[in-house]
Amino acid sequence: VTPSELLTSDRLGIELELENVQNRPSMAYWDVTEDGSLRNYGAEFVLRGGMGGLELENAVEELFGWLSGGNYEANWRCSTHFHVDMLDFTFDQVAKFILLYATKESELFALSDVNRKYSNFCVPVCDSMPFHKKLMRGIKTLTRTPSLGQKYTALNVLPLLTQGTLEYRGAGPITNREQMIAMISTLQGMKATVRASGEATAEEFLNG
């Protein structure tokens, strides 16, 4: 990865699920753990904390260095999750990011596996708008409560309360390096767009 391939240095967390991983590698940037939701030696490659910049570039290189060996299976049960760091954003900026995400959701699905939008484990925002509208109304008073929402939406907001992230769950198992870079850059670009909007409120951002 060259520095120009990643759009910004914003931090992301990444989780890649694969099956038939019979020999678990020891890696510098990734924890490789058992995943009970998968079959046939299912494993999850979890980035060790949110990373950005050169550290994230190195992590991508390490992951795809291992994937080039082909000792795995990527199928419809597998997926890739991205945790977008929101700790440097205000509540209003988080709201703007969610609004922007809603306009780009189809683009994000298309970047990896358009069929993921039909999965029960990542229901699109357009199919869960009552929940997201409720979230937008109450985003400045978030509390740790089960009524906030469900995990299995394409944009899972529950990690805001525990990790300070928004989790995008709509990607299939990304085993193509260019697709991974495109997904990372798109999510980073969305943060950059929100950051550039300055003092505009979420309503002004949406209408502008």
Side-chain angles (χ1 to χ4, degrees):
V1 180
T2 61
S4 62
E5 285 189 276
L6 299 183
L7 192 62
T8 72
S9 60
D10 282 303
R11 296 163 63 87
L12 292 171
I14 303 173
E15 303 160 358
L16 171 62
E17 300 171 342
L18 298 170
E19 291 188 342
N20 200 27
V21 183
Q22 298 189 37
N23 297 311
R24 306 288 169 87
S26 177
M27 309 180 80
Y29 294 96
W30 303 84
D31 290 320
V32 185
T33 62
E34 182 178 352
D35 190 316
S37 68
L38 302 174
R39 303 176 187 174
N40 308 323
Y41 302 98
E44 186 172 30
F45 291 70
V46 181
L47 192 63
R48 290 178 180 162
M51 296 182 187
L54 181 59
E55 191 175 37
L56 180 55
E57 295 169 10
N58 290 338
V60 169
E61 287 302 302
E62 181 183 42
L63 177 63
F64 283 90
W66 183 84
L67 290 174
S68 65
N71 298 313
Y72 62 88
E73 180 183 355
N75 57 43
W76 65 270
R77 286 186 294 271
C78 305
S79 61
T80 310
H81 304 164
F82 294 86
H83 285 263
V84 185
D85 182 19
M86 291 286 127
L87 290 175
D88 59 334
F89 268 15
T90 65
F91 279 123
D92 201 57
Q93 286 176 311
V94 172
K96 286 192 279 187
F97 184 93
I98 294 171
L99 291 171
L100 179 60
Y101 165 84
T103 70
K104 291 184 172 291
E105 185 171 60
S106 295
E107 176 185 335
L108 285 165
F109 276 121
L111 280 174
S112 64
D113 182 358
V114 69
N115 291 317
R116 279 285 290 174
K117 66 183 179 180
Y118 304 113
S119 169
N120 290 332
F121 297 102
C122 55
V123 179
V125 164
C126 62
D127 294 336
S128 55
M129 281 310 296
F131 154 63
H132 283 83
K133 286 180 178 178
K134 177 182 177 182
L135 169 68
M136 299 304 293
R137 289 194 299 268
I139 199 163
K140 292 186 179 181
T141 57
L142 289 178
T143 58
R144 288 179 172 81
T145 169
S147 65
L148 177 63
Q150 297 297 320
K151 172 181 178 180
Y152 297 117
T153 53
L155 188 66
N156 175 23
V157 302
L158 294 180
L160 272 175
L161 305 177
T162 56
Q163 301 168 236
T165 67
L166 291 173
E167 180 191 24
Y168 176 65
R169 300 175 53 85
I174 300 177
T175 58
N176 177 282
R177 179 183 174 280
E178 286 68 34
Q179 284 182 324
M180 182 68 79
I181 294 297
M183 185 66 73
I184 292 171
S185 294
T186 299
L187 293 169
Q188 289 179 332
M190 290 165 62
K191 281 199 69 175
T193 298
V194 171
R195 194 177 284 118
S197 69
E199 298 300 319
T201 65
E203 183 176 1
E204 290 168 341
F205 179 70
L206 178 64
N207 295 330

